[in-house]
Amino acid sequence: MKSQTELNRLFWHSRRGMLELDVLLVPFLKEAYLQLSPEDKARYEKLLSCEDQDMFGWFMQKNRPDDPDLARIVNIILERVQPRD
């Protein structure tokens, strides 16, 4: 289990200053992160080390990450925000 300090650090790293990323990452961290497997939590942390412009392209589905770990966490986040039928 992550300590509150670690969660606070993730929260601040999830706030990117780009609205399109903030509206995806901050709610995902608050509502879904704790339910992720340890491997997917590590993938989320890896995602936060990426450049904003790369993430923007991935989340807008203009391109996909080459790294399979990043592709997996991007898919998890996108599935969570896609409208359900």
Side-chain angles (χ1 to χ4, degrees), residues 32-44 72 76:
Y33 176 82
L34 291 176
Q35 287 76 47
L36 294 176
S37 70
E39 296 81 13
D40 285 339
K41 287 179 181 175
R43 289 177 180 109
Y44 183 78
R72 175 172 165 76
I76 289 171

Side-chain angles (χ1 to χ4, degrees), residues 2-11:
K2 294 267 185 211
S3 71
Q4 191 58 48
T5 302
E6 290 168 316
L7 288 173
N8 287 345
R9 180 184 60 77
L10 286 174
F11 175 79

Side-chain angles (χ1 to χ4, degrees), residues 24-66:
L24 288 172
L25 297 177
V26 172
F28 180 82
L29 179 68
K30 288 181 176 179
E31 298 162 14
Y33 176 82
L34 291 176
Q35 287 76 47
L36 294 176
S37 70
E39 296 81 13
D40 285 339
K41 287 179 181 175
R43 289 177 180 109
Y44 183 78
E45 293 184 42
K46 185 177 186 179
L47 176 70
L48 294 181
S49 70
C50 296
E51 296 292 327
D52 288 359
Q53 291 302 330
D54 291 336
M55 282 195 274
F56 180 78
W58 300 335
F59 288 121
M60 298 302 117
Q61 300 178 335
K62 296 184 187 312
N63 49 50
R64 299 200 26 85
D66 293 329

